[in-house]
Each structure stands twice: as C-alpha cells, then as structure tokens.
C-alpha cells in the first residue's frame, strides 16, 4: 500500500480551477520533490496533504487523498489529528518568540502532553534528529531568535518532528538559507526518510536532483510527469518536463 | 559577461565538428599514404595532429565550464557527456593515423604486400566508417549507427584474415618478417580506428536514447537493425 495516494484530485479557489485531475502515489520512507514554475499548483497540492487549504474560504476539493489508506477529506477525519501526523515546514524559518526548548515542546503541550519527562525526552530526541543538539545543548533556554537562519529552520523541523508525525511536508525549506545550511538540511532529509515520508516543494532543480527519490513535475495545475528522480533528470518522458528542467521555459 | 547556455552548446557542437573534420582528414591522409607507392612525407599530418590536440583540450575546457556554471541535465547532460567522450575518441583516431603514417615508412615492398593482402579494401572501409561516425554525430541519425557496427565487424574480419595471411608468409619467407611485422601493426592501428568510430556511434546512441550500449551486441540494441 502507498503511504500517500491522490486520486483524480481537482481543487478550486472559488472559480479558479487550481489543480486538474491530479493522480499520484508516494511510497513510505521516500522523498518526493514537487517541481514546476511559480503558480503551477505544487504548493497548493502540498497544502492539500494536511488540509491547510481548509483554512482558506471558498476552496473546494474533488477526488480523494488517502494517507495510510484513509481518506483525509472524509468527514470523520479530524484535521487536527491529521496535522499531527502530517507535519509541515515552511519556506522561511518561523520559530515562535520563545526559548529553543519551548519551541520544540510547544506542539506537545498543545496536544495535551503534560508529563515533563516525556516532553524533555521528546524535545531532546527531536533536536538530536535534526543534528542541532551539539549546537544548542548549552542554550536551550535562550530565545530561538538567537539562532542563525539555518539553525532556526532545523529547529522548525525539530518542532514538526516532536509530535511524531509519519509524513513531513516541506515548502521550499531551504530557499532562505545559505549553501552550508542548505546542505545540512539536505543531509538531514536522508536521515529522516528512514522514519518519515517526505514531500518537498522546491524551485531548486539541483536540490530536487540531489535530495529526492522521486520527482513530480507540475505545470499550469496539472501533473505532467512523475517518475524516479534519476529518470526525470536524465531522460524525462515528456517534452514539457525536459524543457523545464533544462531551463528552456518556466 | 554570461554567455547563454544555447550559445555554449552550439560552440561545443561546432568544436566537435571541427575536430572530427580534422580527424577525417588525418584518416584519409594516413590511408592514402599507406596505399601510395612512394615513401610518405608527414609534415601536414603532424600539423593537423597538433590542431587536434589543441581542440581536444578546448573541448574539455568548454565541457568543464558548462558543468560548473550551467549544471546541465537530461538531453543537455547527455550531449556534454558524449561530447567529452567523442572528443577523446577523435583524438585517439588522430594519434593512430599519425602512427600509421610513421609505421608505413618502415614497410619495404609495401605495394606488393598491400596488393596481396587486400589492404586497399580495409582502407576504403576505414575512411567510410570514419565519415559515417562523424555524420552520425552531426545528424544524430540512428540508422547510421547500425551501419557503423556492421562496417566495424567487416573491418575486424578483414584485418584478422590479412594478419593470418601475413603471418603465414612470414613463416615461409624470413625476408618479409620486418615489413610484415610493421604491416601487422598498421592493420592493428586501422582496426583500433574502426573501434573508436564504433565508440563514437555508441555515444551518439546514448545521447539520443539515454541508454548505454557499450557492451551490447547489435541485434540486442533497441531501434538498430542488422546482424553482427
């Protein structure tokens, strides 16, 4: 069974038909990169996977999105539970104005975990998972804003991991970072995929090529092609994909 | 100033065409020298060889620059990878042509030996396979690839037969040993030129189809007809 399965999904912002008949499937413990020019629908699609678009008025979805075989748009699905299972990391690091420790503990507390030992253990584990422990272990009580951009982004990933999701969505997670921080996040992705299924939106073709197992190319709200990353970047099936990745349009 | 990617690719293609053209001249010159009755002069061939070496380095530099600055993918990546390999193959063809000319000087009674062992036919085929390999790169024509494989097989058979016959003559007539040995080396060089032309065809196939066929037999290669 696929971890994430999208069946004939159409999505509308009011009258605007943003996604057309998207069908794709992702296996567990893989990294899938979503690429395409601005406005092609890749971020819209990503946000559908944890029902973030529910928060926008006038949106409408047709079709099915299954995670672990369950339709996440079923009326019995609780969006809060879903978002616990499907974590999200955004383009710009967005730590809360709290301490490093509190940033990671926040999601746990919101979800009703009060046992201090459990919180502490989860915070430590999550910070270690994102390879930030050595850099922050002596200043956990200091403000998260004191960290560099790259450290803040890893902290945000740790915050997403603390609630123990099984899917991690990333919307251009390194676009605001320098090459060294970017490389650290990409190395981290390889570590994380052993535990999580990762979907990453990126405008950086090299990043998609370096860091993902599969790549899906979106154009004007349609999925043009999805295949192994190696195939997409060596011999894509569709001319539109070839033209986009070789920089001839888009 | 940043040069557009398309312009860089065109420049690379044109440089390959240029080096291929020079190598074609070398092969034609080398085979003509081998077939000629008089002893060869190799000044022109030496000058062309120098030009080929310079272009080979230039191609490496263009490719290095494109890899570093443009990060090519898909068909662009295959073209540049193939261009680097093809340039190496062409450079080797140039070297071998030069060696053919040098060895030819040492063959006494050359014309008699050439007539006896059908080397003129091998030379014709060598010129043809080299022209086809260059055409195949320029036009990206898959049909030519099959023809090159067949021609290579024929050249191998002919050189092998000729070498056997030369050895047989050398066994019975010791006066032919020195010239015969040089002629065998020349035949081996020609065979290598044919192999390099076949390699060029293989890289063109990779460029078009993204499949590596280095160690495949002709009959097993998708889209190519003919028997080896």
């Amino acid at each position: 069974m696929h971890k994430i399965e999208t069946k004939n999904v159409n999505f509308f912002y009011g009258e605007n038909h943003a996604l057309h008949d998207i069908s794709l499937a992702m296996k567990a413990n893989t990294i899938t990169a979503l690429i395409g020019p601005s406005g092609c629908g890749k971020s819209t699609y990503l946000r559908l996977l944890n029902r973030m678009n529910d928060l926008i008025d006038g949106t409408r979805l047709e079709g099915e999105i299954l995670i672990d075989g369950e339709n996440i748009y079923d009326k019995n699905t609780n969006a809060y539970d879903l978002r616990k299972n499907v974590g999200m990391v955004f383009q710009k690091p967005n730590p809360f104005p709290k301490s490093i420790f509190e940033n990671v503990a926040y999601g746990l507390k919101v979800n009703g975990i009060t046992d201090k030992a459990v919180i502490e253990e989860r915070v430590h584990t999550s910070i270690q998972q994102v390879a930030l422990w050595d850099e922050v272990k002596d200043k956990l009580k200091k403000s998260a804003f004191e960290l560099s951009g790259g450290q803040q982004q890893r902290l945000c990933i740790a915050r997403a991991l603390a609630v123990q999701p099984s899917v991690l969505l990333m919307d251009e997670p390194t676009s605001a970072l320098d090459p060294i921080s970017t490389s650290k996040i990409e190395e981290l992705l390889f570590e994380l995929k052993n535990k999580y299924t990762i979907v990453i939106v990126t405008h950086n073709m090299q990043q998609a090529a370096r860091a993902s197992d599969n790549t899906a190319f979106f154009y004007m709200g349609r999925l043009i092609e999805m295949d192994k990353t190696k195939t997409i970047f060596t011999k894509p099936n569709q001319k539109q994909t070839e033209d986009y990745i070789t920089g001839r349009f888009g | 100033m940043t040069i557009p990617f398309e312009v860089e690719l065109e420049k690379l293609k044109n440089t390959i065409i240029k080096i291929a053209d020079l190598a074609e001249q070398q092969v034609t010159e080398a085979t003509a020298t081998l077939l000629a009755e008089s002893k060869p002069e190799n000044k022109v061939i030496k000058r062309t060889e120098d030009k080929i070496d310079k272009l080979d380095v230039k191609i490496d530099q263009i490719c290095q620059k494109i890899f570093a600055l443009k990060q090519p993918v898909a068909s662009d990546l295959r073209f540049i990878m193939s261009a680097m390999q093809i340039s190496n193959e062409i450079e080797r063809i140039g070297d071998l042509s030069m060696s053919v000319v040098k060895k030819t000087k040492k063959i006494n009674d050359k014309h008699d030996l050439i007539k006896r062992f059908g080397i003129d036919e091998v030379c014709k085929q060598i010129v043809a396979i080299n022209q086809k390999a260059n055409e195949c790169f320029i036009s990206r024509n898959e049909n030519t690839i099959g023809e090159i494989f067949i021609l290579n097989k024929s050249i191998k058979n002919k050189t092998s037969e000729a070498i056997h016959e030369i050895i047989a003559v050398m066994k019975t007539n010791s006066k032919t040993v020195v010239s015969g040995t040089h002629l065998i080396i020349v035949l081996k060089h020609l065979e290598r030129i044919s192999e390099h032309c076949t390699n060029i065809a293989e890289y063109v196939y990779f460029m078009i189809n993204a499949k590596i066929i280095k160690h495949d037999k002709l009959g097993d290669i998708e889209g190519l007809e003919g028997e080896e």
Side-chain angles (χ1 to χ4, degrees):
Chain A
M1 186 173 63
H2 287 102
K3 179 74 185 173
I4 300 171
E5 210 168 349
T6 304
K7 293 180 179 172
N8 307 104
V9 161
N10 285 280
F11 185 73
F12 304 83
Y13 290 109
E15 293 296 305
N16 177 19
H17 193 167
L19 291 176
H20 298 257
D21 203 28
I22 306 289
S23 292
L24 58 86
M26 300 171 203
K27 284 185 183 161
N29 306 109
T30 57
I31 302 173
T32 303
L34 309 181
I35 60 168
S38 299
C40 69
K42 56 192 186 301
S43 290
T44 298
Y45 173 75
L46 188 80
R47 288 199 301 266
L48 285 178
L49 299 180
N50 73 347
R51 291 182 52 174
M52 287 268 289
N53 291 329
D54 287 10
L55 308 170
I56 304 169
D57 284 339
T59 56
R60 181 164 59 89
L61 176 114
E62 289 170 5
E64 282 185 339
I65 298 178
L66 311 176
I67 293 183
D68 294 322
E70 303 279 328
N71 184 359
I72 61 168
Y73 282 84
D74 190 277
K75 59 183 178 207
N76 296 323
T77 303
N78 181 318
Y80 294 102
D81 289 340
L82 171 72
R83 288 179 200 135
K84 238 182 356 179
N85 185 36
V86 184
M88 182 121 181
V89 177
F90 296 90
Q91 185 173 2
K92 241 181 119 183
N94 56 351
F96 303 137
K98 290 172 177 289
S99 71
I100 294 167
F101 184 94
E102 283 302 322
N103 258 279
V104 184
Y106 185 81
L108 301 170
K109 289 180 181 172
V110 167
N111 281 296
I113 297 172
T114 51
D115 186 331
K116 279 189 178 173
V118 172
I119 292 175
E120 195 155 313
E121 193 271 324
R122 289 260 199 103
V123 169
H124 288 193
T125 311
S126 305
I127 295 177
Q128 276 161 357
Q129 271 185 300
V130 299
L132 192 61
W133 182 251
D134 288 343
E135 294 160 61
V136 302
K137 64 183 177 199
D138 300 323
K139 46 182 178 183
L140 290 174
K141 288 189 177 162
K142 293 214 167 162
S143 167
F145 292 140
E146 286 185 21
L147 299 175
S148 70
Q151 288 172 324
Q152 285 185 15
Q153 190 65 310
R154 277 184 284 153
L155 184 70
C156 292
I157 297 173
R159 189 175 65 194
L161 298 183
V163 293
Q164 297 185 325
S166 64
V167 176
L168 198 56
L169 309 178
M170 298 178 140
D171 196 353
E172 295 185 58
T174 61
S175 64
L177 304 182
D178 65 75
I180 294 168
S181 306
T182 299
S183 136
K184 279 187 182 170
I185 301 263
E186 286 176 9
E187 277 172 32
L188 180 60
L189 292 180
F190 276 106
E191 293 295 319
L192 293 177
K193 83 165 183 175
N194 294 323
K195 281 192 163 184
Y196 309 92
T197 304
I198 299 170
V199 189
I200 176 170
V201 164
T202 180
H203 272 132
N204 182 334
M205 293 298 105
Q206 280 74 47
Q207 179 166 71
R210 278 192 304 259
S212 68
D213 301 302
N214 299 301
T215 297
F217 171 57
F218 284 72
Y219 184 58
M220 294 176 80
R222 295 175 197 278
L223 174 68
I224 303 299
E225 182 173 2
M226 178 172 175
D227 212 323
K228 285 183 179 153
T229 297
K230 184 185 151 223
T231 307
I232 293 283
F233 285 93
T234 52
K235 193 170 192 289
N237 274 313
Q238 302 299 319
K239 189 177 180 306
Q240 281 171 307
T241 316
E242 168 102 24
D243 286 348
Y244 181 70
I245 60 168
T246 55
R248 289 184 172 82
F249 83 78
Chain B
M1 195 183 75
T2 313
I3 301 168
F5 193 23
E6 295 288 344
V7 177
E8 296 269 18
L9 292 178
E10 200 54 35
K11 187 174 157 191
L12 179 60
K13 188 180 176 187
N14 289 337
T15 316
I16 300 257
I17 292 172
K18 215 183 273 178
I19 195 176
D21 191 40
L22 289 175
E24 206 173 301
Q25 285 175 31
Q26 293 289 75
V27 170
T28 309
E29 190 72 24
T31 49
T33 305
L34 179 61
L35 298 177
E37 289 192 36
S38 58
K39 292 264 180 185
E41 280 290 326
N42 61 4
K43 279 180 189 163
V44 177
I45 208 159
K46 178 77 186 83
R47 273 202 298 273
T48 313
E49 176 61 16
D50 292 342
K51 285 183 197 166
I52 288 177
D53 288 349
K54 278 182 189 150
L55 284 175
D56 182 41
V57 173
K58 188 179 171 189
I59 287 165
D60 278 359
Q61 287 168 340
I62 298 173
C63 293
Q64 193 183 25
K65 189 177 160 196
I66 295 176
F67 276 127
L69 302 181
K70 310 290 181 185
Q71 288 102 34
V73 291
S75 58
D76 295 337
L77 175 66
R78 298 201 302 277
F79 169 64
I80 296 156
M81 283 173 67
S82 304
M84 284 181 78
Q85 303 283 6
I86 287 171
S87 163
N88 285 340
E89 301 294 339
I90 292 173
E91 195 271 334
R92 290 293 303 131
I93 290 172
D95 283 350
L96 288 164
S97 302
M98 182 85 191
S99 301
V100 167
V101 174
K102 280 182 187 167
K103 280 283 165 210
T104 299
K105 279 185 175 177
K106 295 175 183 168
I107 305 170
N108 296 322
D109 307 322
K110 191 175 62 161
H111 221 67
D112 181 47
L113 290 170
I114 283 163
K115 271 184 194 160
R116 278 170 68 185
F117 303 120
I119 290 166
D120 49 349
E121 187 54 33
V122 175
C123 286
K124 265 187 213 162
Q125 290 195 334
I126 289 290
V127 171
I129 197 171
N130 185 229
Q131 283 169 348
K132 278 187 191 295
N134 293 343
E135 266 171 40
C136 153
F137 170 75
I138 295 166
S139 62
R140 299 191 182 197
N141 180 358
E142 273 188 78
N143 297 331
T144 328
I145 299 175
E147 290 171 26
I148 290 169
F149 273 69
I150 293 165
L151 211 42
N152 181 43
K153 186 76 185 169
S154 163
I155 290 168
K156 268 187 182 173
N157 289 339
K158 283 200 169 74
T159 50
S160 172
E161 268 172 37
I163 288 169
H164 276 110
E165 284 173 28
I166 294 166
I167 291 170
V169 171
M170 281 158 64
K171 278 179 184 166
T172 56
N173 181 1
S174 60
K175 283 181 185 169
T176 59
V177 168
V178 175
S179 291
T181 306
H182 287 303
L183 192 54
I184 288 172
I185 294 170
V186 165
L187 283 167
K188 279 288 169 195
H189 286 337
L190 295 178
E191 196 183 280
R192 284 306 302 149
I193 290 176
S194 171
E195 279 293 331
H196 287 299
C197 292
T198 312
N199 293 347
I200 292 174
E202 287 170 357
Y203 292 121
V204 173
Y205 187 89
F206 169 71
M207 203 161 76
I208 300 169
N209 299 299
K211 273 190 187 160
I212 296 165
I213 54 164
K214 271 183 197 174
H215 308 294
D216 293 356
K217 286 183 179 164
L218 178 57
D220 301 334
I221 303 165
E222 205 178 312
L224 296 189
E225 286 173 6
E227 283 178 18
E228 269 192 303

